[in-house]
Amino acid sequence: MGGTNVGTADNCIMMGLQIARLSEQTTEKLTRVLPAFGTAVGNPVDVGVGMLMPPQIYGDVIKILAGDESVDMLLAVTAPESPLSVKRIADAAKEIPKPLAVALFDIRGFVEQQMQLLLNQHIPAYTEAKRAAMALFKMADYAERRARV
C-alpha cells in the first residue's frame, strides 16, 4: 500500500492540505507498534500488508496519530479483506477527537459489508482514496470559512 499512500498524500497536497510532520514521540510510538519489516513510520504511515498484520495495529496506529498535535484529521487507506482490521479502525474512530475518513479498495464481495459497517457508525468511507482526500479537504475548507465568520 506504500505507493497508494504516497499517491494519496500527493493528492492531498495538490488539493491544498498539508501533510503533518509527526513528532519524534509519535514516530517512536509507531516504531513500537509496527513491525520493522514492510512498514513505514514516516508520514504517510504504512502499516504494511493488511492480511499479514494483526488487526489491532490499525486501531493502535489511528490512536497514536490522533494524539499528535500536528495531526488535524486522518485518512486511513486499507483493503476490506480483513473485516477485523476495518472494525478496529471503526472502534478507534470512536475514541479519537479528530475527523477520520476511510478509503477501502473496491474488492467485490468484501467492500460492501465493510463500507456498511463504517457508514453505520457515521465514518465517511469511500472506495477511492482521492475521493476520501477530497472529502477531508472540503471539511477543512468549510471549517476555515466558518472560522472567518
Side-chain angles (χ1 to χ4, degrees):
M1 292 228 234
T4 300
N5 292 346
V6 171
T8 301
D10 289 344
N11 283 326
C12 288
I13 292 167
M14 284 188 282
M15 290 175 200
L17 295 172
Q18 294 179 350
I19 304 302
R21 296 194 72 187
L22 302 176
S23 71
E24 190 174 316
Q25 182 181 16
T26 297
T27 56
E28 286 173 9
K29 288 178 183 177
L30 290 170
T31 300
R32 288 193 294 269
V33 170
L34 292 172
F37 182 77
T39 63
V41 298
N43 209 2
V45 175
D46 189 347
V47 298
V49 179
M51 292 298 289
L52 304 176
M53 297 295 155
Q56 76 271 8
I57 284 180
Y58 289 87
D60 293 344
V61 167
I62 286 170
K63 288 186 245 180
I64 290 168
L65 291 172
D68 191 302
E69 284 184 13
S70 69
V71 174
D72 295 324
M73 59 180 75
L74 298 105
L75 172 55
V77 179
T78 190
E81 76 266 18
S82 178
L84 200 47
S85 297
V86 176
K87 172 116 176 53
R88 295 295 182 248
I89 291 170
D91 291 344
K94 296 175 195 172
E95 298 179 34
I96 64 170
K98 297 179 181 180
L100 167 73
V102 179
L104 296 171
F105 293 120
D106 193 0
I107 302 172
R108 297 215 188 275
F110 288 104
V111 73
E112 296 83 6
Q113 184 178 7
Q114 305 315 314
M115 289 285 285
Q116 199 58 52
L117 169 84
L118 294 165
L119 294 173
N120 285 346
Q121 295 188 35
H122 308 288
I123 300 167
Y126 303 86
T127 56
E128 298 173 17
K130 190 171 187 175
R131 288 184 64 218
M134 179 58 79
L136 289 174
F137 167 75
K138 297 269 187 189
M139 185 185 325
D141 184 57
Y142 176 76
E144 187 176 298
R145 289 172 191 257
R146 294 275 303 179
R148 283 189 247 146
V149 174

